[in-house]
């Protein structure tokens, strides 16, 4: 970013492909720390663009902002995470939470598959002729 004074929020949004609203949210979450001009406008230093790119990469990896706040100071230029104290524990905790959520989704999916199969079976046994017609209608032409 050019200049000693930094850039305004609109320019940072344009450069990073991030909305101004999201940039203000990142600020509220403690992920960005803009300075203020005398007129109250936010302005960001040279490092803000790189920080936004890192924040977005960490969000895409499924990390919540509370974990990103802890991890962000320990990221390298390519958004890889350096082994700072407590960071690996936070990342492992997030991975565990994702694994648990994945298991719940897999279980819910399996229940839904069984429910659909049972409903289709009940429908077929109730009206075999209609079921055969529906199957033929679903076959590719």
């Amino acid at each position: 970013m050019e200049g000693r004074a930094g850039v305004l929020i609109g320019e940072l949004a344009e450069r990073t492909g991030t909305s101004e609203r999201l940039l203000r949210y990142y600020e509220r979450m403690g992920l960005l720390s803009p300075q203020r001009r005398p007129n109250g406008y936010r302005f960001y230093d040279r490092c803000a663009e790189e920080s936004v790119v890192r924040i977005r990469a960490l969000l895409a990896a499924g990390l919540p902002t509370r974990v990103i706040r802890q991890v962000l100071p320990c990221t390298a230029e390519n958004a890889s995470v350096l082994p700072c104290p407590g960071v690996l524990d936070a990342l492992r905790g997030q991975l565990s939470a994702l694994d648990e959520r994945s298991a719940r989704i897999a279980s819910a999916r399996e229940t839904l598959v069984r429910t659909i199969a049972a409903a289709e079976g009940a429908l077929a046994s109730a009206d075999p002729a209609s079921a055969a017609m529906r199957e033929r209608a679903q076959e590719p032409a």
Side-chain angles (χ1 to χ4, degrees), residues 28-124:
R28 282 193 312 278
M29 295 297 105
L31 303 176
L32 285 178
S33 300
Q35 297 177 13
R36 295 283 184 160
R37 289 190 171 166
N39 61 6
Y41 289 3
R42 291 171 174 86
F43 70 96
Y44 297 84
D45 65 18
R46 297 179 290 139
C47 301
E49 189 173 340
E50 294 170 7
S51 293
V52 171
V53 170
R54 291 176 188 163
I55 290 166
R56 293 180 59 98
L58 293 167
L59 284 168
L63 296 177
T65 55
R66 66 176 170 71
V67 174
I68 293 173
R69 189 172 36 252
Q70 182 180 1
V71 171
L72 193 58
C74 298
T75 57
E77 285 183 19
N78 63 359
S80 63
V81 178
L82 306 172
C84 296
V87 168
L88 286 176
D89 289 338
L91 294 176
R92 285 185 186 113
Q94 184 61 26
L95 180 59
S96 178
L98 288 173
D99 288 343
E100 289 171 16
R101 188 167 49 183
S102 179
R104 287 192 306 272
I105 290 171
S107 176
R109 184 185 186 287
E110 185 56 37
T111 299
L112 186 56
V113 166
R114 285 194 309 269
T115 302
I116 291 169
E120 288 173 340
L123 186 60

Side-chain angles (χ1 to χ4, degrees), residues 8-19:
L8 297 175
I9 193 169
E11 186 175 350
L12 181 62
E14 186 177 314
R15 288 181 179 205
T16 62
T18 305
S19 70

